[in-house]
Amino acid sequence: VPTIGVLALQGDVREHARALEEAGARTVKVRRPDELERVDGLVLPGGESTTMWRLARSFELLEPLRKRIEAGMPAYGSCAGMIMLADRIRGGVAGQETVGGIDMTVRRNAFGRQVDSFEAAVPLTGMGDTPYHAVFIRAPWVESVGDAVEILGRAESGQNAGRIVAVRQGRLMATAFHPELTGDFRVHHYFADLVRRTTEED
Ligand code: GLN
């Protein structure tokens, strides 16, 4: 059974831990570099990316996170976590850094004030035939991706139809929405499988 960490600086940590356990993983909270060393994979939860970045910096986790991701640790970021995994962001606060790893440009709070929060059907590649019922909360979207990035999902309907909201690059994945909130844990299953396969390969 792989051990999957949940970055526990800020955000909806408990919901992700529950979803991962439903998906058959063992979970631990990660706040310190030595805790990061012991996990087979990591979830970066939703929350507020500016706060998460500041806390990661003061807990001296930014560099260790970058190093483990470069070394091939699987990671999955949801919403603010997606922002943290982006190589480039738009609409960040002055000086805002990310961990990076996914060759994409992500725009913060992209869907605009009139739709602070909304739900949409999103078909997800490799996660079954039924579209995912996705919950977006002050969500980012992906503006552009490099060649190595596989698009797993786009918003299907409404004014935001076509927007990229789920991606994968090798062992890294990210969604603009919050699959930990709906009781449909296909995304967590997918990630837990990825971590399991990685521990077998390495
Ligand atoms: N708007 C938040 C940010 O920029 C993300 C929102 C979320 O994670 N639900 O970090």
Side-chain angles (χ1 to χ4, degrees):
V1 180
T3 301
I4 301 183
V6 182
L7 185 65
L9 301 172
Q10 190 264 340
D12 65 338
V13 174
R14 240 185 321 165
E15 289 79 359
H16 276 289
R18 241 204 77 222
L20 289 164
E21 274 155 28
E22 295 273 339
R26 190 185 307 130
T27 64
V28 292
K29 292 188 178 127
V30 170
R31 288 196 191 84
R32 297 193 315 258
D34 63 299
E35 292 167 333
L36 179 62
E37 280 312 307
R38 291 196 288 269
V39 299
D40 301 310
L42 185 73
V43 168
L44 296 88
E48 176 50 54
S49 62
T50 60
T51 310
M52 217 177 278
W53 154 60
R54 289 196 176 95
L55 290 170
R57 199 182 46 182
S58 53
F59 280 64
E60 298 187 344
L61 268 172
L62 271 181
E63 275 313 310
L65 282 165
R66 289 177 181 137
K67 289 216 175 81
R68 280 230 56 195
I69 283 174
E70 269 162 34
M73 175 186 72
Y76 161 54
S78 157
C79 203
M82 168 184 256
I83 296 169
M84 294 295 285
L85 289 179
D87 281 349
R88 295 165 300 278
I89 56 174
R90 297 240 165 94
V93 300
Q96 182 173 353
E97 295 171 276
T98 66
V99 171
I102 301 182
D103 182 11
M104 62 179 173
T105 302
V106 163
R107 179 175 291 279
R108 286 185 67 220
N109 303 327
F111 290 97
R113 196 169 295 165
Q114 73 282 16
V115 281
D116 259 358
S117 177
F118 66 100
E119 302 178 14
V122 179
L124 292 175
T125 304
M127 293 180 230
D129 296 332
T130 0
Y132 198 87
H133 182 80
V135 175
F136 295 84
I137 305 166
R138 289 185 65 74
W141 69 42
V142 181
E143 283 200 348
S144 60
V145 296
D147 290 342
V149 178
E150 182 190 358
I151 294 166
L152 295 181
R154 295 176 185 266
E156 199 177 38
S157 53
Q159 66 187 113
N160 300 308
R163 291 289 176 191
I164 302 168
V165 294
V167 295
R168 173 173 172 185
Q169 181 180 341
R171 292 172 177 182
L172 305 177
M173 52 188 280
T175 62
F177 53 88
H178 289 268
E180 71 282 13
L181 299 180
T182 49
D184 177 348
F185 298 134
R186 277 181 277 168
V187 175
H188 291 83
H189 270 282
Y190 184 94
F191 182 62
D193 284 344
L194 179 69
V195 176
R196 205 170 291 127
R197 281 199 307 275
T198 304
T199 53
E200 283 159 13
E201 279 161 26
D202 285 353

